[in-house]
Amino acid sequence: MDIDLIDDAAEASTWTDWAILLAILLGFVVAISVAAAITLALIGRRKTWPSELSARVRWPFRTTLFLLALVVSTVALPIDESWDAAIVHTIVIAIIISGAWLLAQIFLFFVDSGSRRYRLEDSDTTTAQKIRTQLQIIRRLVIVVIITIALGAILMTFDSVRAIGASVLASAGIASVVAGLAAQSVLSNLFAGVQLAFNEAIRVGDVVVVQGEFGRIKEITLSYVVLELWDQRTLVLPCTYFTTTPFENWTKNGKELLGTVYFDLDWRVSVDDMRLELERLLGETDLWDGKSQGVQVTDAVGGVLQVRIVVSARDSGALWDLRCMVREELAAWVRRESPDAMPLRRVHFDAPVEAPAEA
């Protein structure tokens, strides 16, 4: 009976010591959390980013500190050897998860801060498009890497998995070949997505023509590219398409574009008057960027003159509207002011051959 009392007293003393140590460690956790919050609040008086950072990392930071205090107290003062190992193992897994959560939130804070600096709505420039595209790819890639490492670390805490890992590493050559063949398309898309982010072949916001479709790059991921077509349809293509297939990028070197309008007119058309009319039309519209214009006769076959009109605009949307406007207005001008210039089909009739008189 006395032995049982001694054991109970020892167990109670162990629990008491563990609780005291845990309370002390939790006091340190609270102190660190309060100090971090006060520091960010003081900095936040002059800047906005500390409040955003605090909102993102507050809970993962506190959770990680609490779990660290719990595992330290449990390891320093074990309570019951029969289930201490299971408790410590569970807490270590929770620490890995919370640590990955904290690391991901810190990384996302920096990436989102950079993205806000280069929003297309505020700064629709080539540099902004390039930076935003790269940040999108890096964001997804790093999050995938963090999750993968966290899962691997969790699995490696199990003895059975470590044994399997050792046997897999022993046959790494065969495994790598098999995995490479099985995931060839996945890996090729992954590398193509990273390549697109840094070679600047396409950027978020670029206007492209692929497979005969005209659209704007809306999103670039590690495996596919999303295009928003002119008629509000969505076209999704694998990243490998843009690294292996030719396509048109209308905004690679800037958004300004040249466009043409063709007319087949009669030889009696006054090209000089047509130039004056084009100058008047362009001077009355804000679709024209004021940089390029011209009227040229590019061909003269089939009984008509081919007149090419060149205009420029600030982007593809304005250029389309400007070309349509120039085509409509000049067609109306030809009908109204120069009807002789409308194309005619000329037919030549030879004089009839008289039959010879009968003798």
Side-chain angles (χ1 to χ4, degrees), residues 127 197 323:
T127 302
R323 291 172 61 197

Side-chain angles (χ1 to χ4, degrees), residues 283-303:
E284 295 177 354
T285 180
D286 57 356
L287 296 174
W288 184 50
D289 62 1
K291 294 183 178 180
S292 299
Q293 62 157 314
V295 178
Q296 295 176 311
V297 178
T298 57
D299 210 343
V301 295

Side-chain angles (χ1 to χ4, degrees), residues 10-24:
E11 184 178 353
S13 176
T14 302
W15 275 100
T16 302
D17 295 340
W18 177 83
I20 293 173
L21 179 59
L22 179 60
I24 294 173

Side-chain angles (χ1 to χ4, degrees), residues 5 136 156 168 206 224 231 247 249 308 311 316 347 357:
L5 291 175
Q136 281 189 0
M156 292 302 292
V168 169
D206 275 350
Y224 60 86
D231 55 0
F247 63 93
N249 188 339
R308 186 185 71 170
V311 291
S316 58
V347 180

